[in-house]
Amino acid sequence: MARKGLVERIKRIGPGTIVAAAIVGPGTVTTASSVGAEFGYILIWALVFSVLATMFLQEMTTRLGVVSRMDLGAAFRNQFQNPILKTATILLIISAIFVGNAAYEAGNITGGAIGVAALTDTPVSYWSIIIGVIAALLLWFGNYQMIERVFIVLIAVMSFSFILTAIVIKPDIGEIFGGFAPEIPDGAAILVISLIGTTIVPYTLFLQSATVQERYEGKERLGDSRFDIIFSMVIVMVVTVSIIVTAAVAFPLGTNIENPIDMADQLEPLLGTWAKYVFGIGIFAAGITSAMTAPLAAAYATTGVLGWKQNLKSYKFRAIWLFILITGVVFASMGYSPIQLIVFSQYANGLILPIIVLFLMFVMNNSRMLGENTNRTWLNIVGWIIFAITLLLTLNSFEII
């Protein structure tokens, strides 16, 4: 088969952009802004680690979906033959996904609503409902192809907004590269954990394993599917670094950021009104995309682990994502601080992540499901290192609390 050109490969991307949109939500905007404002470029290395770890984990779930035609939830259900272990696994996954995704949904909607509410001088509760309604309409009436195109457009808008702002603000390139050297200054541990927690998101593993089946069929498409996730994760890294860089230039070091729109407000005296609105649009796009992905992932994960039909039009599928979406809108409309919701969702993520990675490693070494496409030795080593680091970070996060 002739080697595909870069442009042709980019035209074939899709599922990876949905994962990218899920990762770069208001929580990521807030966390990355806090990292840049408090510590400048010093913690960029933590982001690079997070993106690389996510890339490896997503490659595993991509391979699982393309080769076995099985999503991660279904794979977990089929991993254990013992009925007690199987039932325990199903209950654990459903509980973890529902708690984690409901928390993420509330944080996503609140962050996006606060961003656009501050720009339009309207109540946050109104925009929480509007974001929820837009997400619900797109999920209810859209098919996979339409939803995928919406995500591609929104991730393009979001990327343009954040990257343009970072370029115009004229950062010191040499200092940026200095942030690639691992260092954790005093008081930065919680932000390192938050940065990793907002990038390595458990529900995106379920989402990726399900959506790749819509786009790629057959082992011969593994190359395209891997390029899709690598390209999309590079976008995540560039966009998030852009937010860190912008905050590092815009704020005096040591500044504490309370919500995503603080960044937009700080940019106005530096770059003019246009920057505030460009950044605000980016926050709104991040809120919409994340408000769609968390319910969608919960539906895929739950139907997969229970063995139900995975169809966007199925009433069971719709009932699950509607529950997550409505829960998020309710909590977002109650006036909770976005920081509190985002922090809670990240700690919920911290509790869930090592469990999901552990189960994933078992699945990716199951030759009954994957045949010759199980993990190679070096991938197992990488996977177990990621598991160990996420477990240590989880234990450390409880001590920090």
Side-chain angles (χ1 to χ4, degrees), residues 188-222:
I190 186 68
L191 279 178
V192 171
I193 293 168
S194 296
L195 196 59
I196 292 173
T198 197
T199 306
I200 312 176
V201 185
Y203 78 71
T204 61
L205 300 174
F206 292 89
L207 192 61
Q208 178 76 7
S209 63
T211 55
V212 290
Q213 297 178 52
E214 302 280 356
R215 173 59 76 93
Y216 308 112
E217 186 171 355
K219 296 178 184 179
E220 65 275 7
R221 301 300 304 278
L222 274 174

PDB file of all heavy atoms in Angstrom, residues 188-222:
ATOM      1  N   ALA A 188       3.953  23.380  44.437  1.00  0.00           N
ATOM      2  CA  ALA A 188       3.483  23.070  43.085  1.00  0.00           C
ATOM      3  C   ALA A 188       2.915  21.661  42.943  1.00  0.00           C
ATOM      4  O   ALA A 188       2.352  21.326  41.904  1.00  0.00           O
ATOM      5  CB  ALA A 188       4.611  23.250  42.076  1.00  0.00           C
ATOM      6  N   ALA A 189       3.035  20.823  43.981  1.00  0.00           N
ATOM      7  CA  ALA A 189       2.627  19.421  43.865  1.00  0.00           C
ATOM      8  C   ALA A 189       1.156  19.287  43.485  1.00  0.00           C
ATOM      9  O   ALA A 189       0.789  18.458  42.640  1.00  0.00           O
ATOM     10  CB  ALA A 189       2.901  18.685  45.174  1.00  0.00           C
ATOM     11  N   ILE A 190       0.301  20.098  44.095  1.00  0.00           N
ATOM     12  CA  ILE A 190      -1.131  19.994  43.811  1.00  0.00           C
ATOM     13  C   ILE A 190      -1.436  20.342  42.364  1.00  0.00           C
ATOM     14  O   ILE A 190      -2.310  19.744  41.732  1.00  0.00           O
ATOM     15  CB  ILE A 190      -1.936  20.913  44.774  1.00  0.00           C
ATOM     16  CG1 ILE A 190      -3.441  20.704  44.583  1.00  0.00           C
ATOM     17  CG2 ILE A 190      -1.589  22.369  44.556  1.00  0.00           C
ATOM     18  CD1 ILE A 190      -3.938  19.369  45.009  1.00  0.00           C
ATOM     19  N   LEU A 191      -0.700  21.295  41.790  1.00  0.00           N
ATOM     20  CA  LEU A 191      -0.930  21.668  40.395  1.00  0.00           C
ATOM     21  C   LEU A 191      -0.382  20.613  39.441  1.00  0.00           C
ATOM     22  O   LEU A 191      -0.955  20.392  38.365  1.00  0.00           O
ATOM     23  CB  LEU A 191      -0.298  23.029  40.096  1.00  0.00           C
ATOM     24  CG  LEU A 191      -1.126  24.242  40.540  1.00  0.00           C
ATOM     25  CD1 LEU A 191      -0.373  25.539  40.240  1.00  0.00           C
ATOM     26  CD2 LEU A 191      -2.488  24.261  39.855  1.00  0.00           C
ATOM     27  N   VAL A 192       0.709  19.952  39.823  1.00  0.00           N
ATOM     28  CA  VAL A 192       1.228  18.851  39.001  1.00  0.00           C
ATOM     29  C   VAL A 192       0.185  17.742  38.917  1.00  0.00           C
ATOM     30  O   VAL A 192      -0.119  17.222  37.838  1.00  0.00           O
ATOM     31  CB  VAL A 192       2.550  18.307  39.578  1.00  0.00           C
ATOM     32  CG1 VAL A 192       2.953  17.013  38.850  1.00  0.00           C
ATOM     33  CG2 VAL A 192       3.661  19.334  39.453  1.00  0.00           C
ATOM     34  N   ILE A 193      -0.382  17.398  40.076  1.00  0.00           N
ATOM     35  CA  ILE A 193      -1.417  16.368  40.126  1.00  0.00           C
ATOM     36  C   ILE A 193      -2.638  16.798  39.309  1.00  0.00           C
ATOM     37  O   ILE A 193      -3.210  16.009  38.542  1.00  0.00           O
ATOM     38  CB  ILE A 193      -1.824  16.080  41.585  1.00  0.00           C
ATOM     39  CG1 ILE A 193      -0.653  15.439  42.331  1.00  0.00           C
ATOM     40  CG2 ILE A 193      -3.048  15.170  41.641  1.00  0.00           C
ATOM     41  CD1 ILE A 193      -0.835  15.387  43.824  1.00  0.00           C
ATOM     42  N   SER A 194      -3.037  18.047  39.453  1.00  0.00           N
ATOM     43  CA  SER A 194      -4.206  18.551  38.724  1.00  0.00           C
ATOM     44  C   SER A 194      -3.961  18.556  37.220  1.00  0.00           C
ATOM     45  O   SER A 194      -4.854  18.216  36.428  1.00  0.00           O
ATOM     46  CB  SER A 194      -4.553  19.966  39.196  1.00  0.00           C
ATOM     47  OG  SER A 194      -4.927  19.960  40.547  1.00  0.00           O
ATOM     48  N   LEU A 195      -2.746  18.938  36.816  1.00  0.00           N
ATOM     49  CA  LEU A 195      -2.420  18.988  35.392  1.00  0.00           C
ATOM     50  C   LEU A 195      -2.451  17.592  34.779  1.00  0.00           C
ATOM     51  O   LEU A 195      -2.985  17.390  33.680  1.00  0.00           O
ATOM     52  CB  LEU A 195      -1.035  19.617  35.194  1.00  0.00           C
ATOM     53  CG  LEU A 195      -0.663  20.099  33.791  1.00  0.00           C
ATOM     54  CD1 LEU A 195      -1.643  21.148  33.296  1.00  0.00           C
ATOM     55  CD2 LEU A 195       0.750  20.667  33.793  1.00  0.00           C
ATOM     56  N   ILE A 196      -1.909  16.623  35.501  1.00  0.00           N
ATOM     57  CA  ILE A 196      -1.948  15.239  35.027  1.00  0.00           C
ATOM     58  C   ILE A 196      -3.381  14.713  35.064  1.00  0.00           C
ATOM     59  O   ILE A 196      -3.841  14.045  34.134  1.00  0.00           O
ATOM     60  CB  ILE A 196      -1.014  14.356  35.884  1.00  0.00           C
ATOM     61  CG1 ILE A 196       0.452  14.767  35.633  1.00  0.00           C
ATOM     62  CG2 ILE A 196      -1.220  12.871  35.557  1.00  0.00           C
ATOM     63  CD1 ILE A 196       1.454  14.101  36.538  1.00  0.00           C
ATOM     64  N   GLY A 197      -4.117  15.053  36.124  1.00  0.00           N
ATOM     65  CA  GLY A 197      -5.483  14.579  36.274  1.00  0.00           C
ATOM     66  C   GLY A 197      -6.439  15.134  35.238  1.00  0.00           C
ATOM     67  O   GLY A 197      -7.425  14.480  34.888  1.00  0.00           O
ATOM     68  N   THR A 198      -6.164  16.323  34.737  1.00  0.00           N
ATOM     69  CA  THR A 198      -7.053  16.924  33.739  1.00  0.00           C
ATOM     70  C   THR A 198      -6.672  16.524  32.311  1.00  0.00           C
ATOM     71  O   THR A 198      -7.378  16.851  31.367  1.00  0.00           O
ATOM     72  CB  THR A 198      -7.037  18.467  33.871  1.00  0.00           C
ATOM     73  OG1 THR A 198      -8.161  19.016  33.187  1.00  0.00           O
ATOM     74  CG2 THR A 198      -5.782  19.070  33.287  1.00  0.00           C
ATOM     75  N   THR A 199      -5.538  15.794  32.168  1.00  0.00           N
ATOM     76  CA  THR A 199      -5.095  15.346  30.840  1.00  0.00           C
ATOM     77  C   THR A 199      -5.340  13.853  30.637  1.00  0.00           C
ATOM     78  O   THR A 199      -5.860  13.431  29.607  1.00  0.00           O
ATOM     79  CB  THR A 199      -3.588  15.656  30.647  1.00  0.00           C
ATOM     80  OG1 THR A 199      -3.349  17.039  30.905  1.00  0.00           O
ATOM     81  CG2 THR A 199      -3.152  15.343  29.227  1.00  0.00           C
ATOM     82  N   ILE A 200      -4.945  13.042  31.638  1.00  0.00           N
ATOM     83  CA  ILE A 200      -5.176  11.595  31.537  1.00  0.00           C
ATOM     84  C   ILE A 200      -6.554  11.313  32.120  1.00  0.00           C
ATOM     85  O   ILE A 200      -6.702  11.007  33.302  1.00  0.00           O
ATOM     86  CB  ILE A 200      -4.091  10.795  32.282  1.00  0.00           C
ATOM     87  CG1 ILE A 200      -2.680  11.287  31.918  1.00  0.00           C
ATOM     88  CG2 ILE A 200      -4.200   9.306  31.959  1.00  0.00           C
ATOM     89  CD1 ILE A 200      -1.568  10.610  32.691  1.00  0.00           C
ATOM     90  N   VAL A 201      -7.565  11.438  31.304  1.00  0.00           N
ATOM     91  CA  VAL A 201      -8.965  11.341  31.757  1.00  0.00           C
ATOM     92  C   VAL A 201      -9.499   9.938  31.470  1.00  0.00           C
ATOM     93  O   VAL A 201      -9.543   9.522  30.309  1.00  0.00           O
ATOM     94  CB  VAL A 201      -9.837  12.397  31.048  1.00  0.00           C
ATOM     95  CG1 VAL A 201     -11.251  12.366  31.600  1.00  0.00           C
ATOM     96  CG2 VAL A 201      -9.229  13.787  31.217  1.00  0.00           C
ATOM     97  N   PRO A 202      -9.931   9.189  32.496  1.00  0.00           N
ATOM     98  CA  PRO A 202     -10.344   7.793  32.286  1.00  0.00           C
ATOM     99  C   PRO A 202     -11.430   7.609  31.240  1.00  0.00           C
ATOM    100  O   PRO A 202     -11.372   6.683  30.425  1.00  0.00           O
ATOM    101  CB  PRO A 202     -10.847   7.367  33.676  1.00  0.00           C
ATOM    102  CG  PRO A 202     -10.138   8.250  34.630  1.00  0.00           C
ATOM    103  CD  PRO A 202      -9.983   9.561  33.921  1.00  0.00           C
ATOM    104  N   TYR A 203     -12.430   8.491  31.234  1.00  0.00           N
ATOM    105  CA  TYR A 203     -13.558   8.237  30.334  1.00  0.00           C
ATOM    106  C   TYR A 203     -13.186   8.347  28.865  1.00  0.00           C
ATOM    107  O   TYR A 203     -13.859   7.776  27.992  1.00  0.00           O
ATOM    108  CB  TYR A 203     -14.758   9.112  30.683  1.00  0.00           C
ATOM    109  CG  TYR A 203     -14.724  10.552  30.248  1.00  0.00           C
ATOM    110  CD1 TYR A 203     -14.855  10.904  28.916  1.00  0.00           C
ATOM    111  CD2 TYR A 203     -14.626  11.589  31.186  1.00  0.00           C
ATOM    112  CE1 TYR A 203     -14.872  12.234  28.516  1.00  0.00           C
ATOM    113  CE2 TYR A 203     -14.638  12.914  30.795  1.00  0.00           C
ATOM    114  CZ  TYR A 203     -14.766  13.232  29.459  1.00  0.00           C
ATOM    115  OH  TYR A 203     -14.775  14.556  29.074  1.00  0.00           O
ATOM    116  N   THR A 204     -12.089   9.053  28.554  1.00  0.00           N
ATOM    117  CA  THR A 204     -11.682   9.156  27.146  1.00  0.00           C
ATOM    118  C   THR A 204     -11.188   7.813  26.608  1.00  0.00           C
ATOM    119  O   THR A 204     -11.217   7.587  25.395  1.00  0.00           O
ATOM    120  CB  THR A 204     -10.582  10.220  26.962  1.00  0.00           C
ATOM    121  OG1 THR A 204      -9.425   9.854  27.718  1.00  0.00           O
ATOM    122  CG2 THR A 204     -11.065  11.585  27.389  1.00  0.00           C
ATOM    123  N   LEU A 205     -10.729   6.930  27.496  1.00  0.00           N
ATOM    124  CA  LEU A 205     -10.291   5.602  27.051  1.00  0.00           C
ATOM    125  C   LEU A 205     -11.488   4.792  26.545  1.00  0.00           C
ATOM    126  O   LEU A 205     -11.392   4.079  25.542  1.00  0.00           O
ATOM    127  CB  LEU A 205      -9.593   4.869  28.203  1.00  0.00           C
ATOM    128  CG  LEU A 205      -8.340   5.558  28.774  1.00  0.00           C
ATOM    129  CD1 LEU A 205      -7.831   4.812  30.004  1.00  0.00           C
ATOM    130  CD2 LEU A 205      -7.241   5.645  27.718  1.00  0.00           C
ATOM    131  N   PHE A 206     -12.614   4.906  27.243  1.00  0.00           N
ATOM    132  CA  PHE A 206     -13.839   4.239  26.794  1.00  0.00           C
ATOM    133  C   PHE A 206     -14.340   4.868  25.493  1.00  0.00           C
ATOM    134  O   PHE A 206     -14.778   4.169  24.576  1.00  0.00           O
ATOM    135  CB  PHE A 206     -14.927   4.352  27.876  1.00  0.00           C
ATOM    136  CG  PHE A 206     -14.639   3.561  29.120  1.00  0.00           C
ATOM    137  CD1 PHE A 206     -13.929   4.132  30.164  1.00  0.00           C
ATOM    138  CD2 PHE A 206     -15.069   2.260  29.248  1.00  0.00           C
ATOM    139  CE1 PHE A 206     -13.663   3.407  31.324  1.00  0.00           C
ATOM    140  CE2 PHE A 206     -14.818   1.522  30.395  1.00  0.00           C
ATOM    141  CZ  PHE A 206     -14.104   2.103  31.437  1.00  0.00           C
ATOM    142  N   LEU A 207     -14.269   6.193  25.438  1.00  0.00           N
ATOM    143  CA  LEU A 207     -14.758   6.922  24.267  1.00  0.00           C
ATOM    144  C   LEU A 207     -13.963   6.557  23.020  1.00  0.00           C
ATOM    145  O   LEU A 207     -14.528   6.282  21.957  1.00  0.00           O
ATOM    146  CB  LEU A 207     -14.656   8.425  24.544  1.00  0.00           C
ATOM    147  CG  LEU A 207     -15.356   9.374  23.577  1.00  0.00           C
ATOM    148  CD1 LEU A 207     -16.851   9.120  23.557  1.00  0.00           C
ATOM    149  CD2 LEU A 207     -15.077  10.825  23.990  1.00  0.00           C
ATOM    150  N   GLN A 208     -12.637   6.515  23.145  1.00  0.00           N
ATOM    151  CA  GLN A 208     -11.775   6.218  22.008  1.00  0.00           C
ATOM    152  C   GLN A 208     -12.008   4.802  21.487  1.00  0.00           C
ATOM    153  O   GLN A 208     -12.115   4.580  20.275  1.00  0.00           O
ATOM    154  CB  GLN A 208     -10.306   6.386  22.413  1.00  0.00           C
ATOM    155  CG  GLN A 208      -9.295   6.046  21.323  1.00  0.00           C
ATOM    156  CD  GLN A 208      -9.182   7.102  20.253  1.00  0.00           C
ATOM    157  OE1 GLN A 208      -9.772   8.172  20.369  1.00  0.00           O
ATOM    158  NE2 GLN A 208      -8.427   6.821  19.212  1.00  0.00           N
ATOM    159  N   SER A 209     -12.095   3.826  22.392  1.00  0.00           N
ATOM    160  CA  SER A 209     -12.247   2.433  21.960  1.00  0.00           C
ATOM    161  C   SER A 209     -13.568   2.204  21.226  1.00  0.00           C
ATOM    162  O   SER A 209     -13.662   1.315  20.370  1.00  0.00           O
ATOM    163  CB  SER A 209     -12.150   1.497  23.176  1.00  0.00           C
ATOM    164  OG  SER A 209     -13.197   1.744  24.100  1.00  0.00           O
ATOM    165  N   ALA A 210     -14.579   3.003  21.552  1.00  0.00           N
ATOM    166  CA  ALA A 210     -15.880   2.869  20.884  1.00  0.00           C
ATOM    167  C   ALA A 210     -15.919   3.629  19.563  1.00  0.00           C
ATOM    168  O   ALA A 210     -16.394   3.110  18.540  1.00  0.00           O
ATOM    169  CB  ALA A 210     -16.992   3.356  21.804  1.00  0.00           C
ATOM    170  N   THR A 211     -15.433   4.861  19.549  1.00  0.00           N
ATOM    171  CA  THR A 211     -15.566   5.697  18.349  1.00  0.00           C
ATOM    172  C   THR A 211     -14.656   5.251  17.208  1.00  0.00           C
ATOM    173  O   THR A 211     -14.994   5.473  16.036  1.00  0.00           O
ATOM    174  CB  THR A 211     -15.302   7.176  18.679  1.00  0.00           C
ATOM    175  OG1 THR A 211     -14.017   7.312  19.311  1.00  0.00           O
ATOM    176  CG2 THR A 211     -16.378   7.731  19.601  1.00  0.00           C
ATOM    177  N   VAL A 212     -13.495   4.640  17.511  1.00  0.00           N
ATOM    178  CA  VAL A 212     -12.630   4.193  16.409  1.00  0.00           C
ATOM    179  C   VAL A 212     -13.331   3.133  15.562  1.00  0.00           C
ATOM    180  O   VAL A 212     -13.025   2.979  14.371  1.00  0.00           O
ATOM    181  CB  VAL A 212     -11.274   3.628  16.917  1.00  0.00           C
ATOM    182  CG1 VAL A 212     -10.410   4.725  17.479  1.00  0.00           C
ATOM    183  CG2 VAL A 212     -11.481   2.497  17.914  1.00  0.00           C
ATOM    184  N   GLN A 213     -14.273   2.415  16.144  1.00  0.00           N
ATOM    185  CA  GLN A 213     -14.991   1.386  15.397  1.00  0.00           C
ATOM    186  C   GLN A 213     -15.918   1.996  14.349  1.00  0.00           C
ATOM    187  O   GLN A 213     -16.289   1.338  13.371  1.00  0.00           O
ATOM    188  CB  GLN A 213     -15.788   0.502  16.354  1.00  0.00           C
ATOM    189  CG  GLN A 213     -14.921  -0.284  17.334  1.00  0.00           C
ATOM    190  CD  GLN A 213     -15.741  -1.104  18.300  1.00  0.00           C
ATOM    191  OE1 GLN A 213     -16.613  -1.871  17.894  1.00  0.00           O
ATOM    192  NE2 GLN A 213     -15.489  -0.949  19.587  1.00  0.00           N
ATOM    193  N   GLU A 214     -16.302   3.258  14.577  1.00  0.00           N
ATOM    194  CA  GLU A 214     -17.159   3.959  13.617  1.00  0.00           C
ATOM    195  C   GLU A 214     -16.362   4.412  12.389  1.00  0.00           C
ATOM    196  O   GLU A 214     -16.926   4.583  11.303  1.00  0.00           O
ATOM    197  CB  GLU A 214     -17.789   5.195  14.281  1.00  0.00           C
ATOM    198  CG  GLU A 214     -18.628   4.896  15.518  1.00  0.00           C
ATOM    199  CD  GLU A 214     -20.012   4.405  15.160  1.00  0.00           C
ATOM    200  OE1 GLU A 214     -20.349   4.376  13.967  1.00  0.00           O
ATOM    201  OE2 GLU A 214     -20.760   4.043  16.093  1.00  0.00           O
ATOM    202  N   ARG A 215     -15.061   4.621  12.565  1.00  0.00           N
ATOM    203  CA  ARG A 215     -14.244   5.192  11.487  1.00  0.00           C
ATOM    204  C   ARG A 215     -13.286   4.172  10.850  1.00  0.00           C
ATOM    205  O   ARG A 215     -13.070   4.188   9.635  1.00  0.00           O
ATOM    206  CB  ARG A 215     -13.453   6.376  12.046  1.00  0.00           C
ATOM    207  CG  ARG A 215     -12.424   6.972  11.076  1.00  0.00           C
ATOM    208  CD  ARG A 215     -13.076   7.456   9.782  1.00  0.00           C
ATOM    209  NE  ARG A 215     -13.767   8.702   9.955  1.00  0.00           N
ATOM    210  CZ  ARG A 215     -13.228   9.893   9.726  1.00  0.00           C
ATOM    211  NH1 ARG A 215     -11.979   9.976   9.323  1.00  0.00           N
ATOM    212  NH2 ARG A 215     -13.946  10.978   9.888  1.00  0.00           N
ATOM    213  N   TYR A 216     -12.693   3.296  11.662  1.00  0.00           N
ATOM    214  CA  TYR A 216     -11.649   2.406  11.155  1.00  0.00           C
ATOM    215  C   TYR A 216     -12.063   0.941  11.307  1.00  0.00           C
ATOM    216  O   TYR A 216     -12.448   0.508  12.386  1.00  0.00           O
ATOM    217  CB  TYR A 216     -10.338   2.637  11.910  1.00  0.00           C
ATOM    218  CG  TYR A 216      -9.910   4.088  11.940  1.00  0.00           C
ATOM    219  CD1 TYR A 216      -9.913   4.809  13.135  1.00  0.00           C
ATOM    220  CD2 TYR A 216      -9.517   4.744  10.774  1.00  0.00           C
ATOM    221  CE1 TYR A 216      -9.525   6.136  13.160  1.00  0.00           C
ATOM    222  CE2 TYR A 216      -9.131   6.072  10.794  1.00  0.00           C
ATOM    223  CZ  TYR A 216      -9.140   6.765  11.994  1.00  0.00           C
ATOM    224  OH  TYR A 216      -8.763   8.080  12.016  1.00  0.00           O
ATOM    225  N   GLU A 217     -11.965   0.191  10.223  1.00  0.00           N
ATOM    226  CA  GLU A 217     -12.356  -1.216  10.261  1.00  0.00           C
ATOM    227  C   GLU A 217     -11.254  -2.076   9.666  1.00  0.00           C
ATOM    228  O   GLU A 217     -10.800  -1.843   8.552  1.00  0.00           O
ATOM    229  CB  GLU A 217     -13.664  -1.431   9.496  1.00  0.00           C
ATOM    230  CG  GLU A 217     -14.203  -2.839   9.612  1.00  0.00           C
ATOM    231  CD  GLU A 217     -15.604  -2.992   9.042  1.00  0.00           C
ATOM    232  OE1 GLU A 217     -16.184  -1.962   8.633  1.00  0.00           O
ATOM    233  OE2 GLU A 217     -16.083  -4.126   8.994  1.00  0.00           O
ATOM    234  N   GLY A 218     -10.803  -3.070  10.433  1.00  0.00           N
ATOM    235  CA  GLY A 218      -9.777  -3.980   9.939  1.00  0.00           C
ATOM    236  C   GLY A 218      -8.389  -3.574  10.414  1.00  0.00           C
ATOM    237  O   GLY A 218      -8.098  -2.399  10.643  1.00  0.00           O
ATOM    238  N   LYS A 219      -7.528  -4.583  10.588  1.00  0.00           N
ATOM    239  CA  LYS A 219      -6.171  -4.337  11.097  1.00  0.00           C
ATOM    240  C   LYS A 219      -5.373  -3.409  10.191  1.00  0.00           C
ATOM    241  O   LYS A 219      -4.456  -2.717  10.642  1.00  0.00           O
ATOM    242  CB  LYS A 219      -5.434  -5.667  11.268  1.00  0.00           C
ATOM    243  CG  LYS A 219      -6.055  -6.590  12.303  1.00  0.00           C
ATOM    244  CD  LYS A 219      -5.291  -7.909  12.369  1.00  0.00           C
ATOM    245  CE  LYS A 219      -5.969  -8.859  13.344  1.00  0.00           C
ATOM    246  NZ  LYS A 219      -5.266 -10.167  13.423  1.00  0.00           N
ATOM    247  N   GLU A 220      -5.714  -3.418   8.894  1.00  0.00           N
ATOM    248  CA  GLU A 220      -4.970  -2.564   7.955  1.00  0.00           C
ATOM    249  C   GLU A 220      -5.196  -1.078   8.226  1.00  0.00           C
ATOM    250  O   GLU A 220      -4.466  -0.231   7.698  1.00  0.00           O
ATOM    251  CB  GLU A 220      -5.354  -2.895   6.510  1.00  0.00           C
ATOM    252  CG  GLU A 220      -6.797  -2.601   6.133  1.00  0.00           C
ATOM    253  CD  GLU A 220      -7.755  -3.735   6.482  1.00  0.00           C
ATOM    254  OE1 GLU A 220      -7.309  -4.695   7.143  1.00  0.00           O
ATOM    255  OE2 GLU A 220      -8.933  -3.651   6.093  1.00  0.00           O
ATOM    256  N   ARG A 221      -6.191  -0.744   9.041  1.00  0.00           N
ATOM    257  CA  ARG A 221      -6.453   0.663   9.371  1.00  0.00           C
ATOM    258  C   ARG A 221      -5.786   1.096  10.674  1.00  0.00           C
ATOM    259  O   ARG A 221      -5.997   2.220  11.145  1.00  0.00           O
ATOM    260  CB  ARG A 221      -7.966   0.913   9.498  1.00  0.00           C
ATOM    261  CG  ARG A 221      -8.764   0.601   8.241  1.00  0.00           C
ATOM    262  CD  ARG A 221      -8.333   1.439   7.045  1.00  0.00           C
ATOM    263  NE  ARG A 221      -8.396   2.846   7.298  1.00  0.00           N
ATOM    264  CZ  ARG A 221      -9.501   3.585   7.212  1.00  0.00           C
ATOM    265  NH1 ARG A 221     -10.643   3.011   6.881  1.00  0.00           N
ATOM    266  NH2 ARG A 221      -9.462   4.887   7.438  1.00  0.00           N
ATOM    267  N   LEU A 222      -4.983   0.204  11.275  1.00  0.00           N
ATOM    268  CA  LEU A 222      -4.314   0.555  12.528  1.00  0.00           C
ATOM    269  C   LEU A 222      -3.393   1.765  12.369  1.00  0.00           C
ATOM    270  O   LEU A 222      -3.290   2.607  13.258  1.00  0.00           O
ATOM    271  CB  LEU A 222      -3.501  -0.636  13.055  1.00  0.00           C
ATOM    272  CG  LEU A 222      -4.253  -1.641  13.925  1.00  0.00           C
ATOM    273  CD1 LEU A 222      -3.369  -2.841  14.248  1.00  0.00           C
ATOM    274  CD2 LEU A 222      -4.742  -0.980  15.200  1.00  0.00           C
TER     275      LEU A 222
END
